[in-house]
Structure formats: C-alpha cells, structure tokens
C-alpha cells in the first residue's frame, strides 16, 4: 500500500503569462508536486511539465465564472494536502500581488501544514516591459503606483484618485471592464493628452496592446475585449511604446485636425 507523504503546500507565482517566465525555483517546485491546483491566468503549457499521473485541478476565478469561491479553494488545498502530500498552488503573476495568498496561507497553517512561497514575476511590471513601456525613466517618471481599480463594493479605490494627482506611472490591474469609467475619473486630474495603454494576454503569443491618450482611448474600445482581463498603464512613459506617436498622428489625420 502506497504511503501518503507528509502534507505540505507550496504557493508558486507562475509569472505574467508565458510558461517560460516562471522562475527556475518555481519550476523545480512544480515538478515535485503530488497534486496541482491552478488558476485561470496560468499558461496551461506549464502543466505539461508535470507527470501525467499528477492530478491537476482547475480552481480559477474569472468575472462571473467562479468555479470555486476563495473559501472552497482554502478547504480544497487542505483536503488535497492530507490526501496526496505536496500540494502546489499555482497562481498567476506573484502570489502576493492581489493574489489573496495570505488568506490561503493563514487557513492552511491553521491545520499545522507548512507553507512555502515561491515568488513570481509580477505582470504589473513584466507585461508593460514586454511592450517596451518602462515603469520609470529618468526625467519622465521616478516612481510607479500599482493598484486595483475598484474595491470590494465596486467603488473606485482612493488610490486611483491619489495616483491620478501624482506624476507616478499608474498601473491598474483588474480594471478593463471599467475602462471608460477609469479614463473619465483619471481625466479629472490629468490632461486628455496623457498617454495610456491597455494590454491583454500579456507576454503570450496572442498579446494585444492598444495605445492612445486619455482623450482618445474611448474611441478604441471597440477593439478591446472588455470581457477579458488586462493591464492599464497611464503616464508619460507610455509614449515610449514604439507605435505611440505613429498611432497618434494617424488619429489626428483621420479626425481632420
């Protein structure tokens, strides 16, 4: 009779999207899993790195399509740890950047199960970088502000207002569905010519990036799939995108100005 290993849990940040952007440490830990619980934003090519016999359980949460609540996930991690041994909880980006990792750790450790965290490359930085958009640049922006667009009750985060009044680069996660509202809110504090980008499927083969300004981005919304997640970047560093000025010139010409 096979002996079940001692229960342990490893939270791994899978990186910003593409499977080859997981860390070396993360890949080693993933290959040592007895069971894997993975999120919606994981490149499923990563799962090909694991033996076929290892159970792989999807526990993704997407807008309006939650296969599991957070409480369900917490309980499932513990259940599978006692059943199989080493649970790998595979999370997009970095586990501690809007990943609710602390909730999972607190719950799992309350059962006496040890937890190890393997940091991941955060999409907040890596995805804009993959498009040639830096977070900082000497003489342009000396800091950046990563935030979620809305709070639990659906209202805008106060950080959105404060960041809009600063010179920092704004990186907004989980905000694409409210793109119009966000651009309107930020426009209360920044000029209409402030550069802005919306990046979806970051670092993947089907990555898309729409660049414009606070004043022009609404005209581009028809080309953006608002049902899918993405990253919004607002600030003068967006002008570093290779196509920014070319696209802005085309907009001006088409507008007849």
């Amino acid at each position: 009779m096979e002996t079940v290993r001692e229960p342990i849990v490893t939270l791994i940040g899978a990186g910003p999207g593409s499977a080859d952007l997981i860390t070396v440490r993360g890949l080693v830990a993933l290959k040592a899993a007895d069971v894997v619980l993975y999120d919606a934003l994981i490149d499923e090519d990563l799962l090909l790195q694991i033996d076929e016999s290892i159970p792989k359980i999807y526990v993704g949460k997407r807008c309006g399509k939650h296969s599991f609540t957070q409480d369900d996930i917490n309980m499932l991690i513990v259940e599978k740890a006692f059943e199989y041994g080493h649970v790998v909880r595979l999370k997009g980006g970095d586990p501690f950047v809007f990943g609710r990792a602390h909730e999972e750790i607190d719950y799992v450790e309350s059962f006496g199960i040890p937890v190890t965290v393997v940091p991941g490359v955060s999409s907040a930085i890596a995805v804009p970088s993959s498009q040639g958009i830096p977070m900082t640049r000497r003489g342009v922006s000396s800091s950046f502000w990563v935030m979620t667009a809305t709070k639990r009750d659906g209202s805008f985060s106060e950080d959105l207002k404060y960041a809009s009044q600063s010179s920092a680069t704004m990186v907004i996660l989980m905000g694409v569905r409210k793109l119009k509202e966000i651009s309107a809110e930020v426009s209360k504090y920044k000029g209409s010519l402030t550069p802005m980008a919306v990046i979806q499927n970051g670092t993947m083969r089907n990555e898309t990036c729409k660049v414009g300004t606070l004043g022009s981005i609404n005209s581009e919304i028809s080309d953006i799939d608002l049902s899918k997640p993405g990253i919004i970047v607002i600030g003068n560093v967006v002008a570093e995108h290779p196509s920014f000025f070319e696209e802005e010139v085309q907009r001006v010409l088409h507008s007849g100005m």
Side-chain angles (χ1 to χ4, degrees):
M1 182 176 179
E2 185 178 352
T3 302
V4 176
R5 295 168 55 184
E6 286 296 312
I8 60 171
V9 172
T10 306
L11 268 63
I12 301 176
S18 182
D20 58 1
L21 289 176
I22 193 172
T23 65
V24 173
R25 183 181 296 182
L27 187 58
V28 169
L30 178 62
K31 290 182 175 181
D34 294 318
V35 58
V36 177
L37 278 60
Y38 66 99
D39 276 346
L41 298 179
I42 300 303
D43 183 348
E44 294 195 12
D45 283 351
L46 269 177
L47 302 180
L48 300 178
Q49 301 293 327
I50 314 164
D51 191 278
E52 290 183 359
S53 64
I54 301 299
K56 305 162 188 71
I57 304 169
Y58 174 74
V59 292
K61 299 198 295 283
R62 294 286 285 271
C63 180
K65 298 179 180 179
H66 289 195
S67 57
F68 290 87
T69 66
Q70 187 60 53
D71 286 343
D72 290 336
I73 294 171
N74 295 346
M75 290 187 286
L76 193 61
I77 294 172
V78 170
E79 175 188 324
K80 296 305 178 184
F82 283 120
E83 182 178 355
Y84 289 99
H86 183 199
V87 173
V88 161
R89 177 73 174 95
L90 193 59
K91 303 169 77 70
D94 179 88
F96 285 106
V97 181
F98 302 119
R100 302 184 73 171
H102 266 302
E103 295 176 44
E104 296 178 3
I105 292 170
D106 289 346
Y107 186 83
V108 171
E109 288 186 338
S110 73
F111 287 83
I113 300 172
V115 179
T116 300
V117 177
V118 180
V121 178
S122 174
S123 61
I125 299 172
V127 167
S129 295
S130 75
Q131 283 289 331
I133 300 173
M135 292 294 91
T136 61
R137 180 172 176 176
R138 186 184 296 271
V140 179
S141 175
S142 60
S143 62
F144 59 93
W145 199 319
V146 179
M147 71 205 80
T148 178
T150 56
K151 297 183 291 188
R152 183 178 296 181
D153 62 5
S155 63
F156 281 130
S157 164
E158 288 295 299
D159 287 347
L160 187 68
K161 178 176 72 174
Y162 298 143
S164 298
Q165 297 174 68
S166 77
S167 61
T169 302
M170 299 173 63
V171 183
I172 304 168
L173 307 182
M174 300 177 286
V176 170
R177 288 186 303 116
K178 292 196 172 185
L179 184 58
K180 281 187 176 181
E181 294 92 331
I182 289 169
S183 61
E185 181 68 17
V186 176
S187 292
K188 295 177 182 178
Y189 311 99
K190 291 186 180 296
S192 63
L193 295 179
T194 302
M196 182 175 185
V198 180
I199 310 166
Q200 295 181 292
N201 299 308
T203 73
M204 305 289 283
R205 288 183 293 272
N206 58 340
E207 180 179 52
T208 62
C209 179
K210 297 299 297 184
V211 294
T213 63
L214 280 172
S216 69
I217 201 69
N218 285 340
S219 65
E220 305 293 329
I221 282 183
S222 60
D223 296 326
I224 299 170
D225 187 346
L226 300 182
S227 69
K228 293 183 178 179
I231 292 177
I232 301 168
V233 186
I234 302 173
N236 290 332
V237 292
V238 175
E240 301 297 322
H241 189 279
S243 65
F244 177 77
F245 285 106
E246 178 183 342
E247 294 198 20
E248 282 305 297
V249 167
Q250 290 300 317
R251 288 189 186 96
V252 170
L253 291 176
H254 290 154
S255 69
M257 295 176 63

